[in-house]
Structure formats: structure tokens, C-alpha cells
Amino acid sequence: MRRLLLAVFTLISITAQAQENGEDQLGSWHMYFGTNQIAEKWSIHSEAQLRYYEQAKNFNQLLLRTGLNYHINPNAIATAGFAYIKTDPTFFEAALIDLDGQASDNISENRIFEQFILKNKVWELLFEHRYRLEQRFITDSDLNTKSTQHRARYRLQMTVPLTDVFFLNFYDEIFINLQNEAFDQNRLYAAVGVNVTNNLSVQAGYLKNHFRTVDYDRLQVAVFYNPDLRKLFK
């Protein structure tokens, strides 16, 4: 009986935690990515993401990122850039209150990053290895705190062409903290994609976002638009 009661209380605790942090909700990410060629060896990366705890509602995060790409060759790209991230880490509309009675639902981050991408092809499978370093300057305006953190990321992506129009896309990305506990998070992704034109594609897929103590399930819709701007920059 004691074991049964312990199991019931454990299940209730897990369920309550999932309801409190939104773990039991299917959220959504809405994304835009662009690579705009401005010279033979140079291009500009542009990106915007809106992330929600639920389907297109209950705001979680806004991410804006840009960078300058140097194309060493068609299969190797080096990038340096900047991102701005605005985060509400609370699932409920009301902010979570800490022990001192202070609320924290307003976190902003200025991020500098360096990145290197390598591409290769095996049979018809297209592989991409992305290595990224991040310097993160985080401000919690509610608690009036600031911190600087460093992180490394590695993403292995595989694209499977089905036809000239349709394709499948898979990736796994691990995030490693360079201070405190090493493991930060892991993202596992699968999607179906459509090549609308030669510089426009759309993907719809599923993301499993695993942290040390919580897992999130997210549907993703992404638009990739890569117009050539070299004529504009001549």
C-alpha cells in the first residue's frame, strides 16, 4: 500500500509539473530563413522566429538573427553574426514569483556567434555539419540581473530528395555549455519540404526539444527565401 501511494503521489507531482511549465502542450515555432548573395564569395544571413508554448498562442520567445557569410567554396561557409532574443520563460500568463516576491517573465539576450558549415553528399543524401560558438549577454529586467554565458553547438542535418519538388529533412543538434553543467539541450527534428521555386522552399515538421529536466514537443513551419542580391549591390 505504501508503494502504491508513493507511485500515485509521484505521478501527481509529474503531472502537476508538466501543467505548470507547459511540457504537456504541443507548441509551435514559426520561422523565416534567408541567405542573400551580395558578391561571389559573400552573402547575408537573415532569420526571424516566433515561438509559442501552444499552437500560435501563449508567447515564449522571439529570435532575430543576422550574419555575414564567407563562402570558402560551395561546401564550406564561415559566418559571424549577431542575434537578439526576447524570452518569456513562464507558461502561464501570470509571471512566476520567486522566494523574495519578485517576478521574472522578461528576459532579453544579445548574442554574438561564430559558425562554420561543411556540406557533403553520399549517394543522393545531402549532409550538413554546422559548428557554432555563442557569446550570450543575458539581462533579466524584472530581477535586475545580468550574466554572460558561452555555449557550443553542433548540428548534423540530412536532406533526402524525393523528387525535384519534395524532400525530407532531418537533424539532431546538441548544445554544450562552456561553464557550469555541460549539457544544455538537444533538438531532434524531422520535416517534409517543398521546393516552391529555385530560391523559395517551405518545411513543416516536428521538433523534440530535450533539456535536463523537461521535454517540449513543437510543430514547426519554416520558410526559406534566398534571392540573389548581387545586382542590387553592384
Side-chain angles (χ1 to χ4, degrees), residues 13-204:
S13 175
I14 293 173
T15 303
Q17 181 181 8
Q19 291 175 343
E20 180 178 296
N21 60 23
E23 186 179 7
D24 61 339
Q25 298 294 321
L26 181 62
S28 62
W29 291 9
H30 308 261
M31 305 177 293
Y32 156 81
F33 301 91
T35 301
N36 311 118
Q37 204 79 24
I38 59 174
E40 181 181 355
K41 292 283 189 178
W42 297 93
S43 66
I44 296 173
H45 174 81
S46 54
E47 178 180 344
Q49 299 190 31
L50 272 173
R51 300 172 178 177
Y52 296 93
Y53 285 108
E54 300 172 88
Q55 291 297 300
K57 64 179 182 179
N58 199 346
F59 172 79
N60 172 212
Q61 192 172 75
L62 167 69
L63 184 149
L64 303 173
R65 180 159 37 218
T66 188
L68 184 62
N69 302 318
Y70 177 68
H71 298 253
I72 301 168
N73 60 51
N75 295 318
I77 305 170
T79 305
F82 172 82
Y84 173 77
I85 301 96
K86 185 76 169 180
T87 303
D88 180 352
T90 60
F91 173 67
F92 292 112
E93 293 299 326
L96 294 178
I97 307 299
D98 70 6
L99 295 177
D100 296 324
Q102 296 176 299
S104 177
D105 67 345
N106 187 15
I107 298 174
S108 61
E109 177 182 343
N110 293 289
R111 181 185 301 174
I112 298 170
F113 71 95
E114 303 81 38
Q115 177 178 286
F116 184 60
I117 289 177
L118 283 175
K119 301 178 182 180
N120 67 292
K121 184 176 181 180
V122 179
W123 297 301
E124 295 301 315
L125 306 179
L126 307 176
F127 289 90
E128 180 182 287
H129 307 265
R130 188 177 76 182
Y131 308 87
R132 181 181 289 174
L133 289 174
E134 297 176 332
Q135 299 81 51
R136 310 172 64 202
F137 306 95
I138 303 169
T139 300
D140 188 327
S141 57
D142 289 326
L143 301 182
N144 196 28
T145 60
K146 295 184 178 181
S147 65
T148 300
Q149 300 180 17
H150 301 270
R151 188 167 66 183
R153 298 166 57 170
Y154 168 70
R155 187 186 74 183
L156 173 61
Q157 177 176 272
M158 181 180 71
T159 302
V160 183
L162 301 177
T163 67
D164 290 339
V165 176
F166 296 98
F167 61 91
L168 301 177
N169 192 32
F170 307 93
Y171 73 69
D172 187 80
E173 183 172 19
I174 187 167
F175 295 61
I176 300 296
N177 292 319
L178 302 182
Q179 67 282 307
N180 303 325
E181 292 192 48
F183 179 78
D184 180 45
Q185 60 178 285
N186 189 84
R187 295 176 182 173
L188 184 64
Y189 173 75
V192 176
V194 179
N195 293 314
V196 181
T197 67
N198 63 344
N199 61 13
L200 174 64
S201 64
V202 178
Q203 292 185 29

Side-chain angles (χ1 to χ4, degrees), residues 196-215:
V196 181
T197 67
N198 63 344
N199 61 13
L200 174 64
S201 64
V202 178
Q203 292 185 29
Y206 164 80
L207 177 81
K208 168 67 77 172
N209 200 175
H210 171 66
F211 294 85
R212 286 193 301 270
T213 59
V214 67
D215 289 284

